[in-house]
Amino acid sequence: MIRLGAGRLDRIVAVGAHCDDIAIGAGGTLLTMCLAHPGTRVDALVLSGGGSEREQEERAALAAFCPGADLRLTVLKLPDGRLPAHWEEAKAAVEELRARTEPDLVLAPRTDDAHQDHGGLAKLVPTAFRDHLVLGYEIVKWDGDLVRPPAYQPLSPEIAERKVRLLQELYPSQRHRPWYDREAFLGLARIRGIECHARYAEAFAVTKLTLNLGD
């Protein structure tokens, strides 16, 4: 198992198609980074849920998942499940985000995510963030689209438990969903942990990675 570190990451971009995507896919990673480095700037963009209770949930949740961070969150009002029909609006939002930040890391959905909103957003991100490290987070769902990931962020048991607790507490609108429970979130984290010799982990896809091994 090879472990590569990128040093301190002062600016992070996190994007999601829906409120709770970022927290489900990369909540533990955000907690780990923000707790280690208070003051980290996090620019977050969510394409749907604006003006609803979902936006209120998202604002409270991301504040909790990014403790001590300089969090700047934008939640738009694109209709859920209709990103392909609103491609230009989504593209403009991603490009506007890029114009206001120069991140060290971008957290986004996987390009091979089966959900049309997730996959569509994932394909837009590299068109705007061309020279950045983009990690594609995974979201478990009925599509059965999980794959063997190439990158892992180990999570301490405390961080994994905190992530699950925050998901359950801060997104009450999602508790009725049959897959939205402790077993699903912690179970996947345990499997990913086994794969990288840790107790728990979050896993990511990497489309392109440039190495600098001479420094």
Side-chain angles (χ1 to χ4, degrees), residues 155-202:
L155 305 178
S156 69
E158 294 77 17
I159 290 292
E161 291 283 357
R162 184 169 174 177
K163 171 185 174 177
V164 172
R165 177 175 55 80
L166 291 176
L167 286 172
Q168 293 177 317
E169 290 180 358
L170 299 178
Y171 292 104
S173 68
Q174 303 305 297
R175 292 175 189 156
H176 69 284
R177 299 185 181 277
W179 56 269
Y180 198 92
D181 60 31
R182 171 185 171 82
E183 288 180 306
F185 298 134
L186 209 57
L188 179 59
R190 180 69 185 110
I191 291 171
R192 295 317 191 196
I194 291 170
E195 293 173 346
C196 69
H197 295 167
R199 182 65 186 175
Y200 298 105
E202 286 176 338

Side-chain angles (χ1 to χ4, degrees), residues 97-166:
L97 174 63
R98 172 67 184 95
R100 67 174 186 263
T101 186
E102 182 66 49
D104 303 304
L105 171 66
V106 180
L107 299 170
R110 295 170 21 237
T111 55
D112 53 356
D113 192 301
H115 192 295
Q116 66 270 25
D117 292 352
H118 300 173
L121 175 57
K123 290 178 175 63
L124 283 172
V125 168
T127 69
F129 295 92
R130 293 179 176 270
D131 298 308
H132 302 80
L133 174 60
V134 179
L135 297 181
Y137 57 73
E138 58 182 359
I139 297 178
V140 64
K141 50 190 172 300
W142 73 271
D143 303 83
D145 62 353
L146 296 182
V147 298
R148 181 179 180 182
Y152 299 85
Q153 170 59 50
L155 305 178
S156 69
E158 294 77 17
I159 290 292
E161 291 283 357
R162 184 169 174 177
K163 171 185 174 177
V164 172
R165 177 175 55 80
L166 291 176

